[in-house]
Amino acid sequence: MGVRTAHLRGAVVGAEQVTGRFTELYGAAPEGVWAAPGRVNLIGEHTDYNDGFVMPFALPHQATAAVSRRTDGVLRLHSRDIGGEAVELTLDALAPQSDKEWTAYPAGVVWALREAGHPVTGADIHLASTVPTGAGLSSSAALEVVVALALNDLYGLGLQRRQLARLCQRAENVYVGAPTGIMDQTASACCEQGHALFLDTRDLSQRQIPFDLAAEGLRLLVVDTQVKHAHSGGEYGKRRAGCEKGAALLGVDALRDIPYAGLDAALARLGDDEEVVRLVRHVVTEDERVERTVALLHSGETRAIGPVLTEGHASLRDDFRISCPELDLVVDTALAAGALGARMTGGGFGGSAIVLGEAADVDTVTKAVREAFAGAGFTAPRVFEAVPAAGARRLA
């Protein structure tokens, strides 16, 4: 099976599968089944917590949840992917950063909903996810959003998708302790099939941008380097703190407020604080790259976004310093094999890269990357096509 036909292989867990396992675990059929996808970020990296612009799209790979309500203040969680017995938690005992296991993500959502005053009285949940973990494809956000959407529906909370995304972000920031921005949860909750989401993370305004690469004879590959990363690690937090320091030194609320045309003057004001200079330069230029990408797609110049992606990688590698040898090898090898553009995607320090290329060149590029990894002694990468898919939804 080639890359073109492999993009859906193993990406979807059917509602009947999670329904059957839920019934085995909990002794009754679930009240419903929901799904929420992982995402690829086309452009706009580490801009979301700086009130900037991002442009993700949803993957076919998704977290699926079978869920029923409880009235006794108990939360029972089970994951097909982890195995073992269901984990039983008491809602009143949920506390930020008390849980270092996978259960922190769904439990954090329940905590965030209750902290916001929503009357969630318990749940039985069985989860199954096909989003690769640690690959920079938002596996944690998919878990959070699918649970939030299910509880919103079951409890009739009436929350909009943007509100659910904010609550999921709070769950990850406060309960899990990972200082992530709003992009991942918004992408999972709000993306539309066949589109990329142009999101202003300051006011959460959104525009769905048509993104049908196949119609133009193009493909976008995801190359999962198999190098794992964790957002709750210290390096991500250091970058965020450095960006906040830069904004404070420049007297603005967020780096989003530094205009691209005024970047040189802003950097001059930072003096010899090299680290902050690098971080500020990346965020301001990355916001400009997002806007440039939107303009190119609107004008039908899809191939011209390739060099913009590659510029973004150079900035993430040299200024933000969150790449790694495996990611750099993907980008350099893909470009040498004829790709139109490539860059790392996600939080960095491992995870995945994306590669934009002509459909006719996909097999050549894929072969070159795999051979380069073998030659370098790296773990074989996972390569699949990224096809813009639907956001979170109820399945049954």
Side-chain angles (χ1 to χ4, degrees):
M1 184 180 290
V3 171
R4 173 65 185 144
T5 55
H7 68 273
L8 280 171
R9 183 177 59 189
V12 177
V13 178
E16 66 283 352
Q17 292 173 266
V18 291
T19 295
R21 185 66 178 117
F22 181 100
T23 304
E24 292 174 8
L25 286 163
Y26 301 123
E31 292 184 83
V33 178
W34 290 260
R39 65 96 187 97
V40 162
N41 192 24
L42 181 65
I43 192 75
E45 218 64 77
H46 288 269
T47 50
D48 59 346
Y49 54 79
N50 290 292
D51 282 2
F53 304 122
V54 294
M55 200 174 182
F57 63 88
L59 288 169
H61 305 73
Q62 61 190 25
T64 307
V67 185
S68 287
R69 289 168 290 182
R70 297 178 66 96
T71 59
D72 58 358
V74 170
L75 175 64
R76 293 195 292 183
L77 299 168
H78 185 269
S79 167
R80 178 201 69 169
D81 312 301
I82 304 298
E85 300 296 318
V87 176
E88 184 170 311
L89 303 170
T90 302
L91 297 191
D92 288 342
L94 297 179
Q97 301 188 47
S98 61
D99 185 350
K100 300 302 180 184
E101 304 299 326
W102 71 270
T103 48
Y105 297 100
V109 169
V110 176
W111 172 85
L113 285 167
R114 285 166 54 85
E115 281 288 297
H118 300 294
V120 176
T121 55
D124 287 336
I125 301 175
H126 170 61
L127 290 153
S129 180
T130 59
V131 185
T133 59
L137 303 175
S138 298
S139 58
S140 59
L143 287 179
E144 293 157 359
V145 170
V146 74
V147 170
L149 183 62
L151 296 177
N152 185 54
D153 286 355
L154 288 176
Y155 281 98
L157 304 180
L159 297 169
Q160 297 179 350
R161 296 300 181 95
R162 298 177 189 185
Q163 294 172 296
L164 292 177
R166 279 288 188 208
L167 285 165
C168 290
Q169 183 199 15
R170 177 167 168 75
E172 188 147 352
N173 288 172
V174 180
Y175 195 90
V176 177
T180 55
I182 190 63
M183 172 181 66
D184 296 350
Q185 293 83 4
T186 304
S188 186
C190 300
C191 278
E192 294 182 4
Q193 186 170 344
H195 292 75
L197 179 69
F198 177 41
L199 173 67
D200 182 333
T201 65
R202 171 163 283 171
D203 62 11
L204 297 189
S205 60
Q206 304 174 11
R207 286 162 55 196
Q208 300 286 345
I209 309 297
F211 194 56
D212 185 358
L213 295 174
E216 299 190 52
L218 297 170
R219 300 288 186 269
L220 189 77
L221 301 179
V222 174
V223 182
D224 177 4
T225 65
Q226 307 284 347
V227 177
K228 302 301 182 184
H229 74 103
H231 276 173
S232 52
E235 291 299 318
Y236 186 100
K238 288 179 184 176
R239 300 307 188 282
R240 182 164 185 166
C243 290
E244 292 169 353
K245 178 182 178 182
L249 289 171
L250 293 168
V252 294
D253 291 336
L255 294 182
R256 147 72 174 277
D257 297 313
I258 303 300
Y260 180 70
L263 176 59
D264 288 344
L267 297 181
R269 289 169 55 197
L270 293 172
D272 58 1
D273 192 333
E274 181 190 351
E275 181 179 5
V276 173
V277 165
R278 287 189 287 100
L279 297 177
V280 171
R281 182 166 55 217
H282 166 73
V283 172
V284 176
T285 59
E286 187 78 347
D287 274 336
E288 188 273 338
R289 281 186 285 271
V290 178
E291 294 184 292
R292 205 176 347 146
T293 298
V294 171
L296 289 168
L297 291 175
H298 269 310
S299 62
E301 300 176 75
T302 305
R303 284 169 173 79
I305 74 172
V308 186
L309 302 183
T310 305
E311 284 177 32
H313 183 77
S315 182
L316 290 162
R317 180 192 65 211
D318 301 335
D319 275 345
F320 230 66
R321 299 189 181 181
I322 56 171
S323 189
C324 66
E326 291 85 351
L327 288 168
D328 292 341
L329 184 61
V330 173
V331 172
D332 294 343
T333 303
L335 294 173
L340 298 172
R343 75 172 189 91
M344 59 153 286
T345 187
F349 312 107
S352 299
I354 55 174
V355 179
L356 179 69
E358 302 288 350
D361 295 335
V362 162
D363 290 343
T364 299
V365 170
T366 301
K367 182 173 182 286
V369 169
R370 286 177 170 151
E371 289 179 349
F373 268 57
F378 294 153
T379 300
R382 178 180 182 223
V383 184
F384 61 92
E385 184 181 348
V387 178
R393 61 210 180 277
R394 186 167 187 164
L395 300 181

